[in-house]
Amino acid sequence: MPQGVAIIGAGWAGLSAALTLSRHSIPVTLYEAGRQPGGRARSVNLPGFAGPLDNGQHILLGAYHQTLDLIRTVNPQPAWHRTRLQLNIAGGLSLSAPALPAPLHSLMALLNAKGLSWQERRQAIGFMWRWQRRGFAVPGNMTVDELLTSQSERLKRELWEPLCLATLNTPLTIASGQVFLNVLRDSLTRKQTDSDLIIPGCDLGALFPEPAVRYLVAQGHDIRLGTRVTHISRQDNGFLVNGCAHEHVICATAPWHAATFARQLSMPELANQLQTLGSQAIATVWLQYAAQVRLPHMMTGLTGTLSQWVFDRGQSHDQPGLVAVVISAAPAIDNSTLASRVSQELHQHLGLPAKPDHVRVICEQRATFSCTAALQRPDNITPVPGWYLAGDYTASPYPATLEAACQSGVQCAIHLLRQP
């Protein structure tokens, strides 16, 4: 007899699907090729660094309702730092949202922003007001760059471009204007707390993936880490996954792996769509300095540099002297050159020592899909009944974020639960 639901992939999407099904007492078998859950948002251990790091430095927003709910389900007292919206660009823009209802809090943050002229503050407020009146809707083929034609070069450089790269991980010239407006709408105009910045205070594995696995095991589900799925086939009452029978399957892998399964299940159009999704890289540069090294803010932005966002892990994770630098839509530069340039930029712009004690680059070449204008993303429901697709790249109003991944996993579980 088939054994409940198979979920392929223990990233944030797969775990979200599993937790949702568990809430409805649906038995789950979770297959994960790696020996550690979390996918592209997991913990890593690197020589020369004290304690676990992350495969990539992440932040959350208060608007990540699905993600935060799932984290609290398995981790009732999560370690994180939650503050009202604030952005600090070294030597430039600085803004902080007051404790006012949305969207007044974000408009006041722009009105009182430092490092901008009065004319630029009016432009930024006018931009938000204009698109709110239009329901944050634009033609599907409009890019973020085209969206920002009314904004000064400094506003684009110090406010809109850092936000676009941090959320869409796609350059302004090709990034989807509609998806960018969706992010601004849901984080800045609905509830004051939606714009909160949430910086994890522990490694990503300890925040969600590892507690989620322990929770699922305690609920009696079958968790198979270190088990790569190599073959899928259909049978009369479900699917064979590595020779094991299951009634339904949620495929929560990267799109190129999902394309292989789609071909095995005779879905060539879906396979082609998955294979042609563009991708963007994210590089995280880890730099260990002496323990007394400390930055003015937990998170600082840089512009006109290769480095984009700089995180002081001494303040956030109690890892003194440890700094993480995130480069979204990272260019194709060898790791040695990238590490050298980042070290120089931190020395020049933030006054850090010229040479760190240790430095390591983690570059995910296909960290996210390329969130371009007019992109058609695959749906959670596929042409094969009982086979679902989960991941941050599936059809969604949001870019490739943890929230998009969690929403996708939950949505797949809901579709499955609605079946007879």
Side-chain angles (χ1 to χ4, degrees), residues 140-396:
N141 60 353
M142 180 175 284
T143 66
V144 174
D145 201 39
E146 293 168 336
L147 200 66
L148 299 174
T149 53
S150 67
Q151 305 293 284
S152 73
E153 287 303 312
R154 181 163 61 172
L155 265 177
K156 287 199 284 187
R157 183 179 67 250
E158 297 194 9
L159 177 60
W160 303 122
E161 184 174 33
L163 291 178
C164 177
L165 289 174
T167 53
L168 274 65
N169 190 38
T170 305
L172 269 67
T173 53
I174 60 172
S176 168
Q178 184 60 71
V179 174
F180 184 60
L181 286 182
N182 293 343
V183 172
L184 296 182
R185 176 196 65 204
D186 292 354
S187 61
L188 298 180
T189 69
R190 291 188 167 174
K191 290 174 57 181
Q192 176 201 323
T193 54
D194 286 345
S195 64
D196 287 355
L197 298 180
I198 304 172
I199 299 178
C202 62
D203 61 89
L204 288 172
L207 181 66
F208 176 64
E210 292 163 12
V213 167
R214 290 194 295 269
Y215 178 94
L216 291 167
V217 170
Q219 297 297 314
H221 300 287
D222 186 2
I223 310 301
R224 303 184 184 184
L225 301 179
T227 303
R228 182 177 297 278
V229 173
T230 57
H231 185 73
I232 299 287
S233 62
R234 297 173 68 177
Q235 58 179 12
D236 291 340
N237 54 351
F239 302 86
L240 286 177
V241 179
N242 281 1
C244 296
H246 297 280
E247 294 177 76
H248 307 273
V249 177
I250 296 175
C251 180
T253 67
W256 51 93
H257 293 312
T260 299
F261 298 137
R263 291 202 184 279
Q264 291 181 5
L265 295 172
S266 301
M267 293 185 283
E269 292 184 4
L270 176 59
N272 291 336
Q273 183 182 20
L274 292 167
Q275 286 183 321
T276 55
L277 283 175
S279 62
Q280 296 286 341
I282 297 179
T284 303
V285 184
W286 294 97
L287 307 103
Q288 181 64 64
Y289 297 94
Q292 65 268 25
V293 171
R294 184 179 174 92
L295 294 172
H297 305 284
M298 195 178 298
M299 183 179 78
T300 303
L302 292 177
T303 61
T305 55
L306 182 64
S307 308
Q308 293 168 6
W309 293 103
V310 185
F311 295 84
D312 185 343
R313 299 269 291 202
Q315 296 185 48
S316 61
H317 290 66
D318 196 24
Q319 295 174 303
L322 181 60
V323 171
V325 177
V326 176
I327 304 168
S328 298
I333 301 175
D334 66 271
N335 286 354
S336 177
T337 302
L338 192 149
S340 176
R341 285 184 56 180
V342 166
S343 298
Q344 294 171 7
E345 290 170 353
L346 297 187
H347 176 61
Q348 178 182 353
H349 296 280
L350 297 177
L352 297 188
K355 290 186 178 181
D357 297 337
H358 301 283
V359 61
R360 180 72 176 267
V361 177
I362 298 178
C363 188
E364 285 277 0
Q365 294 295 338
R366 296 188 285 187
T368 70
F369 71 92
S370 191
C371 192
T372 55
L375 176 67
Q376 296 297 313
R377 294 156 65 177
D379 197 74
N380 298 124
I381 299 175
T382 73
V384 172
W387 179 274
Y388 303 91
L389 198 61
D392 57 16
Y393 57 87
T394 59
S396 164

Side-chain angles (χ1 to χ4, degrees), residues 12-33:
W12 290 55
L15 290 170
S16 299
L19 290 169
T20 305
L21 293 172
S22 179
R23 286 175 173 175
H24 292 83
S25 302
I26 304 296
V28 166
T29 301
L30 181 60
Y31 297 87
E32 167 56 44

Side-chain angles (χ1 to χ4, degrees), residues 92-117:
L93 169 72
S94 176
L95 63 80
S96 180
L100 294 171
L104 185 59
H105 74 309
S106 56
L107 296 178
M108 289 301 294
L110 292 171
L111 181 65
N112 296 317
K114 299 177 181 178
L116 297 176
S117 68

